[in-house]
Amino acid sequence: MWIYIKGKYDIHDAAKRWVFVSIQNAWRKYKNQLFNDHYKAYENDELQMEKRLVDVPKSQFRDLLNYWNSDAYKKMSQTNIENCKKLKYPHTAGKRSFARICEEKKKETSEPLLSKDIFVVTRKRKVDRVYKASYADTLNKIDEMERIQSTQESENGSQSVNAFASVIGPEHPGCLRLYGRGVTKTSLKRKVGDFGPSLSSTDEVMQQKLEEMEERMQQRLQEKFNSQKDTMKLQVAVNIISQLKHPNPDLRVNPSMLGFNTRSPGEASSAQQAAVQLINRLSTRSNNQGGAIEEREDGDCEDLGFT
């Protein structure tokens, strides 16, 4: 799957874990939406099959119905419901990622972002909304964190104790709290202050790749501009000098008079000599045929490779 993803998107290998976590979350969200909108919303299998999502084949959706109706699934679902009820201090961030919330908070203040600050902002509740879980215990924990922090600042003049860890408890093995889904200690290489990683190696690599792409694009644009400029100069030179040679057939052109934006002296000399040869041919044709110069100018310029 990683090879398929790399073939469609320009993603560094360092972001592999983040990509798979994002895919996992999207898949869980899709299954949850499918369950609520096309299974739970209808009473029986006939209606569920009739209202199934058109993207899901009938055979696969029938297997899903059998799975959702099985005793094993119902038992697992009930166990998960009971476990969710044991969750303390649920966040109210919704679909917003904790990383986004952290960045928004960093812009609001120049002080280091503390774990307690993230806990408070991700547990904030709206006044006009009704919640299932009680908010009293969360408020008590926040008040206790505030008390510990103010005590430390008044005694030492600076914070030496993590108020969040003192109230909630130490970290457990696995994912870190207040960092969002899937973040572990090993996934954090460096930290700034008390909270949040600094610029990671992935960001540095991506920035370097962007700079290289921009440099290559600028170089190609400059080469194209020089080529178009040379073509225009050649056309002007051919037009002017050929008109001068028309009444003066013996007029000779000095190659140094013709300068082009070429990259090397050899290329410049070759371009100049080719232009002189073209002018001499045009002069000969004008003497023999008369009035044929203008009809052949563009075509001869293309033959020289300046277009």
Side-chain angles (χ1 to χ4, degrees), residues 259-277:
F260 301 97
N261 293 326
T262 47
R263 290 185 293 272
S264 66
E267 293 180 0
S269 176
S270 176
Q272 292 167 356
Q273 294 293 344
V276 172
Q277 294 175 8

Side-chain angles (χ1 to χ4, degrees), residues 122-150:
T122 54
R123 269 69 184 174
K124 187 183 299 182
R125 294 195 174 188
K126 297 180 180 179
V127 179
D128 56 345
R129 182 173 177 179
V130 179
Y131 296 86
K132 295 181 180 179
S134 174
Y135 193 47
D137 195 15
T138 303
L139 285 177
N140 292 334
K141 296 298 182 183
I142 293 176
D143 292 340
E144 190 174 352
M145 293 179 197
E146 296 283 359
R147 181 183 58 79
I148 293 176
Q149 181 176 341
S150 60

Side-chain angles (χ1 to χ4, degrees), residues 203-218:
D203 297 331
E204 295 174 356
V205 171
M206 293 301 297
Q207 182 66 24
Q208 182 179 359
K209 292 185 68 174
L210 289 175
E211 292 176 356
E212 292 175 356
M213 291 174 60
E214 184 177 359
E215 183 178 354
R216 289 196 299 268
M217 184 177 296
Q218 291 290 344

Side-chain angles (χ1 to χ4, degrees), residues 5 9 23 61 68-69 96 103 121 123 141-142 161 163 171 174 180 193 214 287 289 293:
I5 295 172
Y9 304 98
I23 294 175
F61 193 75
W68 286 332
N69 288 324
R96 289 199 308 164
E103 291 301 320
V121 73
R123 269 69 184 174
K141 296 298 182 183
I142 293 176
V161 176
E171 292 284 358
E214 184 177 359
N287 292 334
Q289 301 175 5
I293 297 175

